[in-house]
C-alpha cells in the first residue's frame, strides 16, 4: 500500500435517500404514462355510448305516429282526413296513418243511399291496432248531434283496451261533418268526449289556434274550437278551402302536441 492509499475517496457516489425517492417517483410517473391508453380507451368507450343514446332518441322521435281514424259515407269526412294527414306529415318526426272503421251497413243499403265506394288504399282498422298509435284523431259525420253508428260500433269494440287502460294518456281529437249549420258541429264532438274519458285519453281541442280563420263571417264554414268540420248539405256540397285548411291546421297542431308530450 502506498502512502495514503487507504484514504483515497471512491469516485462512485451512492444515491441518497432523496434521490432514491425521486427515482421511485419518476418510475411511478412512467408507469402512469404507460397506463394512459387505458384512460383513452375509457374516453373512447364513453363517446359511442352518447352517440347510441342520440340515435335512440332520434329513432323514438321518428316513430311518433298519429292515427287518423274516420268513418265517411259520402266522402266529406275523408277529404278532411286526407288534408289533416298533410298537416301531421309536415311536422318533422311525426307521421300520420289513415284508417277507416268497419262499415256496418250492407252493400245493397249503401247502393240505395247512393254512397260511393270506399277508397281501397285506406286500410280498415281493428280496435287492437289503436294501441300502436301515439295519438288519434277521430273523424265522423253526425247523427242527431252525436257520432254516426259506425264509429260508435267501433268504440264499442274497444272493451279489451278499456279493461287494460291501454289508451290511457294518449292524446286524441275529433273532426266532424254535419248536414246543416245547426246540425251539431260542436255537440257531435263534445258528446264523443265520454269515449275518451272512459279510456283515460287526453282530449286535445284546437281552441282558436287557427287564428283569423276562426272568426271569418263572410262565408259558411264548418269547424269549431272542438275540431275541424265540414257542412255536407244534401251530400253534394264539397269542403271549402277554409274547411280543408282548418283540418290541415288541426293535424299540424296535434303533431306538435305529440312531440311535446314525447320529450
Amino acid at each position: 500500500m502506498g502512502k495514503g492509499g487507504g484514504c483515497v475517496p471512491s469516485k462512485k457516489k451512492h444515491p441518497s435517500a432523496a434521490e432514491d425517492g425521486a427515482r421511485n417517483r419518476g418510475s411511478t410517473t412512467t408507469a402512469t404514462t404507460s397506463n394512459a391508453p387505458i384512460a383513452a380507451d375509457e374516453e373512447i368507450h364513453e363517446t359511442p355510448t352518447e352517440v347510441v343514446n342520440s340515435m335512440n332518441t332520434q329513432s323514438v322521435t321518428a316513430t311518433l305516429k298519429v292515427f287518423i281514424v274516420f268513418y265517411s259515407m259520402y266522402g266529406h269526412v275523408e277529404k278532411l282526413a286526407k288534408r289533416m294527414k298533410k298537416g301531421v306529415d309536415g311536422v318533422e318526426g311525426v307521421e300520420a296513418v289513415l284508417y277507416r272503421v268497419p262499415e256496418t251497413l250492407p252493400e245493397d243499403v249503401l247502393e240505395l243511399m247512393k254512397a260511393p265506394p270506399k277508397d281501397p288504399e285506406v286500410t280498415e282498422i281493428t280496435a287492437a291496432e289503436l294501441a300502436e298509435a301515439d295519438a288519434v284523431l277521430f273523424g265522423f259525420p253526425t247523427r242527431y248531434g252525436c257520432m254516426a253508428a259506425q264509429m260508435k260500433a267501433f268504440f264499442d269494440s274497444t272493451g279489451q283496451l278499456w279493461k287494460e287502460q291501454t289508451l290511457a294518456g294518449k292524446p286524441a281529437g275529433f273532426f266532424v261533418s254535419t248536414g246543416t249549420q245547426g246540425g251539431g258541429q260542436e255537440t257531435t264532438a263534445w258528446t264523443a268526449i265520454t269515449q275518451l274519458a272512459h279510456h283515460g285519453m287526453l282530449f286535445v281541442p284546437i281552441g282558436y289556434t287557427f287564428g283569423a280563420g276562426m272568426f271569418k263571417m263572410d262565408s259558411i264554414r264548418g269547424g269549431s274550437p272542438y275540431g275541424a268540420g265540414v257542412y255536407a248539405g244534401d251530400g253534394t256540397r264539397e269542403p271549402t278551402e277554409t274547411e280543408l285548411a282548418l283540418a290541415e291546421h288541426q293535424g299540424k297542431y296535434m303533431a306538435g302536441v305529440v312531440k311535446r308530450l314525447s320529450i
Side-chain angles (χ1 to χ4, degrees):
M1 257 175 74
K3 185 178 178 181
C7 297
V8 176
S10 171
K11 292 184 180 180
K12 195 172 192 181
K13 186 177 179 184
H14 296 286
S16 65
E19 289 174 334
D20 282 338
R23 287 181 183 175
N24 289 336
R25 286 194 299 271
S27 63
T28 302
T29 303
T30 303
T32 303
T33 303
S34 65
N35 290 336
I38 296 176
D41 287 344
E42 290 174 353
E43 291 174 2
I44 292 172
H45 175 71
E46 290 174 358
T47 303
T49 303
E50 294 176 359
V51 172
V52 170
N53 289 340
S54 175
M55 290 174 65
N56 287 340
T57 302
Q58 291 174 358
S59 176
V60 170
T61 303
T63 56
L64 289 175
K65 292 188 181 297
V66 175
F67 284 11
I68 301 177
V69 181
F70 66 90
Y71 173 73
S72 186
M73 179 173 283
Y74 294 105
H76 297 80
V77 174
E78 184 168 347
K79 287 182 174 69
L80 293 185
K82 289 181 176 179
R83 186 65 173 265
M84 196 168 285
K85 183 181 189 307
K86 179 181 178 182
V88 174
D89 292 342
V91 177
E92 185 179 358
V94 188
E95 177 187 3
V97 184
L98 291 175
Y99 288 106
R100 71 172 69 256
V101 301
E103 178 61 79
T104 59
L105 293 175
E107 285 296 328
D108 57 339
V109 173
L110 292 172
E111 288 179 10
L112 290 173
M113 297 178 71
K114 295 181 170 48
K118 303 288 193 291
D119 183 352
E121 293 186 4
V122 179
T123 306
E124 195 172 275
I125 193 171
T126 63
E129 288 176 297
L130 284 178
E132 302 169 11
D134 295 292
V136 188
L137 287 163
F138 296 100
F140 38 82
T142 188
R143 298 292 184 267
Y144 303 111
C146 298
M147 69 175 66
Q150 289 86 344
M151 182 59 73
K152 184 60 170 65
F154 176 73
F155 272 112
D156 288 348
S157 71
T158 62
Q160 188 63 34
L161 297 176
W162 163 78
K163 182 179 179 181
E164 299 171 357
Q165 285 295 284
T166 305
L167 305 180
K170 293 181 185 290
F174 301 122
F175 56 104
V176 305
S177 170
T178 66
T180 64
Q181 293 184 63
Q185 287 285 317
E186 292 190 344
T187 60
T188 306
W190 66 254
T191 54
I193 294 175
T194 57
Q195 312 298 313
L196 306 186
H198 283 266
H199 278 287
M201 302 182 81
L202 309 176
F203 176 49
V204 181
I206 58 173
Y208 282 82
T209 58
F210 189 48
M214 296 292 287
F215 298 92
K216 286 184 177 180
M217 300 288 289
D218 56 347
S219 63
I220 296 176
R221 172 192 59 78
S224 73
Y226 292 92
V230 58
Y231 290 121
D234 61 359
T236 60
R237 180 183 184 273
E238 292 295 317
T240 65
E241 179 55 35
T242 301
E243 290 169 333
L244 293 171
L246 179 55
E248 182 176 342
H249 168 76
Q250 185 172 3
K252 181 178 180 180
Y253 184 77
M254 177 60 87
V257 170
V258 173
K259 286 191 73 172
R260 289 194 293 273
L261 290 177
S262 68
I263 297 175

